[in-house]
Each structure stands twice: as structure tokens, then as C-alpha cells.
Amino acid sequence: HMVHTYLGGTRTDLQGNTISPEYELIEILCNNALGAIEWLEGYGQEFSDTIGTVLGALWPRTHSTGGGRAYIETLSAAAEDLGVEILLETAGKELITEDGRVVGVKATAADGSELIIRANSGVVLATGGYGENPEMRAEYNTYWPEMPLTMPSTNVSTVTGDGIIMAQQVGADLVGMGFIQLMPSSDPETGVLFNGLWGSAETQVFVNKQGKRFVNEYAERDVLAKAALEQEDGLFFIICDAQIAGDRNLDALIEAEDVIKADTLEELAEKLGIPADDFVAEIEKYNSYVDAQHDPDFGKPNFGNYKVEVGPFYATPRSPSVHHTMGGVKIDTLARVISTEGQPIPGLYAAGEVCGGIHAGNRLGGNAITDILVFGRIAGESAATKK
């Protein structure tokens, strides 16, 4: 896990600057991943016993919960049981400092009123990145040749870099800000992720508008996104069959035309407007690679034992969109925010996508949940004990 995270995050930008994950941080991340699962299970969170490969994870290591909402429900219930007050629709605007220490937050409620929230021990930033701030993306980007303001994002609308900006105002150092991860398999119009059909990365087959594969589907997300952007209209299709689809109810997705269904591969090609002969031949060739467990075209290293051969067949149109901003505030192994002078800022801690340095230039699939849980626990402990 550490090797994958380090190599998967080592990237060079357009200006020739190479960045790698900070070794001490990924050592903590990977060595505490199992403990994070066990900790959540202690609060009633259920995980699948089987593992799969999230797209861009490079290895089957992910225990599913059935969706991100499960984490929120488990953690918010545990917090409320401890007497924590959760303020929704409340925007943090400014960190309050006294005698060089962060002691609270100025915030604005939905009705426009200002709140002053004092911190007994410390403030933890867990505000996410800046994926929904197009201007900030364009300002910092040094990795992608183009970062259009109109490029959609997988993020919710509140992920606008607020925590990074507030931390910078009190002297926080920033790291890796030029690197932004695109999610290759997003809705072509909205950027959302969860309106399509696919399985673990072993099962996924990508074809372009010519009906041809164009990439190793088991590669890192930036590799997949770059390859997708080179295709006509930046568009491709994830192909599944009935075995991969399983018993999921797809009626709503099919009705919305987010997923295209056909009884045969030839019919699917016709509905997609791609050359049927080339598409069928490509899928047959892919199935032969599964039999041989060898992909001479693109070097896909892991197929499981999933061929695309049992109708009905399905296709999900996909295109890259902004997913995870790699850069953020610099932290140490205690999740303390580090100043531009190289010292911890007293009273200020951070965890998750608001931080830089852990994933460096590219984040492996599944590592964001691991990150926020591992470093969230560390940040909480550090704040509580005023480390």
C-alpha cells in the first residue's frame, strides 16, 4: 500500500517540478488504515468482507460500505451521542487568533448572521479542497495543459477552498497546489459519479467512439483521464454485461439514458452510434485476454475472471471532470498545520483534502476515505491534548 501510494503520487508538472508523497505521512496513512476500519466498526459501521478495486487504486484493497453516506451517518450519530452540536449551512469565514494561537472561527449562518465560535483546545480544518472553485483551479494548475473554468466537477458546491484560504491568512504553508486530479469516469455533462453502471476496476472495459479500447483500465486516474481527453469529444463508454451488473435495479438509470441497455453487442453498438463490427471484435479480443490473463495491447494486469459475454449488455457514457485537488495546507505527523516559517501554528490542525503532501501529484482510489479517517482521528487527538 505504501509503495503504491508513493509511486502513484510521484508526478512531474508541466514546469518540470517533481513531487512525491511525504514518506512519514504515507507511513501513518497506510499503517493505520486497518485501525480506522476497526474504529468505525466500533461505532456500528458495517463493511463488506470482500474487497474490490476502486478505479485508480492499482490493487484490490477496498472494503465497501455501500456508499459515502454510511460514513456520515455513523460519524454524525456518534458525535451527537457525545453532545456535539452540528451546524449546517454555516460557512467558516475567518480564523480567530490571539497571541499567535488559533482560538476560534468567525462564521456566517444561512440567514446572514455572524457567529463567533471559540475553541477550548484547537480548531480542526476538514473543509475539503477547491474542486468547485474554477478560478482557484485555473490559478494554481500546473499539471494539465488546460483547466477550463467550465469543466464540471464531481464535488458538492461548497468545496471552494475556504479552509485553505483561511489557513493561508494566518500564515499556513501550502504544498502541491498545482496538481489536480481528474476523475475519468464522470457524467459528461454534470460531472457526477453515481449515475452509471460499472463494477470493480478488474471488470471495467473502456471503449471510445470508434468502438476501440484505448488504455489500461487498471491504471491511475490521471493516466486514465489523460487518455480519455485524447479521445473524440473526450468521451468513452464503460461496457458491462449481465454478470457484472448483477441484480442491481437499473430501471431509473436506463430511463434517464444514463445507462444504455441492449440484448446484443451489435444492438448496443447501434444505440451508441459506434461501428458494430469493430466493437464486437474488440470485446471478443478483450475476452481472449481475460482467458489468457494477458493484455498485449495495454498491459492491464488484473482482469479477475470477468469477461463481457452474457446479455443484456450495458454502456455508460463517461468523460473526465475535476475530482480531487491534490494540494493544500502543509501538516506534520500530528496533523498540525505548518507555517511558512516551518513551525506548527498553535491551535490549528487539519485533515483530509484540505491538506497537501500526503497524495502529492495523484491520489490512489480509496485513499481519500482512508486519509480523512486516519488523519481526522490524529487531528482530533492532537487538538484535544493541545499538541
Side-chain angles (χ1 to χ4, degrees), residues 236-254:
F236 67 97
F237 306 95
I238 302 178
I239 307 300
C240 294
D241 73 350
Q243 300 175 100
I244 297 168
D247 58 0
R248 282 173 278 189
N249 187 333
L250 304 174
D251 292 345
L253 292 175
I254 294 170

Side-chain angles (χ1 to χ4, degrees), residues 88-90 107-115:
L88 302 177
E89 298 184 5
T90 305
T108 303
D111 62 5
S113 60
E114 184 179 75
L115 299 176

Side-chain angles (χ1 to χ4, degrees), residues 29-353:
L29 175 80
C30 299
N31 287 341
N32 289 279
L34 177 58
I37 287 180
E38 294 169 342
W39 178 71
L40 275 174
E41 287 177 330
Y43 287 108
Q45 178 70 63
E46 296 183 356
F47 290 88
S48 65
D49 289 331
T50 58
I51 56 174
T53 309
V54 176
L55 190 70
L58 301 182
W59 197 259
R61 63 168 66 91
T62 301
H63 294 270
S64 173
T65 61
R69 176 175 293 186
Y71 297 105
I72 301 300
E73 292 175 346
T74 298
L75 291 168
S76 59
E80 289 170 345
D81 286 345
L82 292 169
V84 174
E85 181 182 4
I86 298 174
L87 302 177
L88 302 177
E89 298 184 5
T90 305
K93 295 296 184 181
E94 183 182 343
L95 295 171
I96 303 170
T97 60
E98 293 177 359
D99 299 324
R101 182 178 185 86
V102 176
V103 296
V105 181
K106 290 181 181 179
T108 303
D111 62 5
S113 60
E114 184 179 75
L115 299 176
I116 302 295
I117 303 170
R118 302 286 297 189
N120 292 328
S121 301
V123 173
V124 177
L125 294 172
T127 53
Y130 51 97
E132 274 291 310
N133 188 330
E135 290 77 18
M136 196 169 176
R137 291 173 353 207
E139 175 188 355
Y140 282 106
N141 169 55
T142 60
Y143 189 61
W144 299 96
E146 296 181 359
M147 183 56 62
L149 298 181
T150 55
M151 179 175 279
S153 161
T154 66
N155 291 232
V156 295
S157 61
T158 52
V159 181
T160 54
D162 298 5
I164 295 172
I165 294 168
M166 286 190 289
Q168 194 174 23
Q169 289 170 348
V170 297
D173 196 10
L174 304 184
V175 59
M177 291 293 289
F179 295 84
I180 296 171
Q181 182 177 86
L182 305 185
M183 172 59 79
S185 54
S186 307
D187 183 278
E189 295 183 4
T190 66
V192 301
L193 289 178
F194 302 111
N195 63 342
L197 171 64
W198 54 83
S200 183
E202 294 94 330
T203 72
Q204 295 190 32
V205 184
F206 295 178
V207 300
N208 57 23
K209 295 177 76 171
Q210 287 70 49
K212 299 287 190 176
R213 287 178 68 220
F214 56 90
V215 71
N216 161 23
E217 297 92 345
Y218 213 72
E220 299 96 324
R221 287 175 178 171
D222 62 334
V223 173
L224 298 173
K226 285 181 179 179
L229 289 172
E230 293 172 355
Q231 307 311 304
E232 183 180 348
D233 298 326
L235 183 73
F236 67 97
F237 306 95
I238 302 178
I239 307 300
C240 294
D241 73 350
Q243 300 175 100
I244 297 168
D247 58 0
R248 282 173 278 189
N249 187 333
L250 304 174
D251 292 345
L253 292 175
I254 294 170
E255 183 177 353
E257 298 184 344
D258 292 325
V259 172
I260 295 88
K261 176 184 177 181
D263 291 328
T264 66
L265 290 173
E266 288 84 358
E267 181 188 0
L268 186 62
E270 181 179 354
K271 288 185 174 183
L272 297 178
I274 63 178
D277 291 345
D278 292 341
F279 174 62
V280 172
E282 192 75 355
I283 296 300
E284 290 176 349
K285 183 169 63 170
Y286 178 85
N287 288 340
S288 74
Y289 295 166
V290 178
D291 287 332
Q293 292 291 296
H294 176 62
D295 176 10
D297 291 341
F298 300 102
K300 184 173 181 177
N302 187 1
F303 302 89
N305 192 30
Y306 300 99
K307 292 192 285 189
V308 180
E309 59 181 355
V310 178
F313 300 94
Y314 304 91
T316 300
R318 298 282 94 173
S319 189
S321 65
V322 172
H323 183 53
H324 193 104
T325 50
M326 309 308 306
V329 299
K330 185 177 179 63
I331 62 169
D332 64 9
T333 56
L334 295 175
R336 300 179 299 187
V337 174
I338 304 302
S339 73
T340 54
E341 297 177 353
Q343 300 299 317
I345 298 175
L348 187 59
Y349 310 86
E353 193 180 354

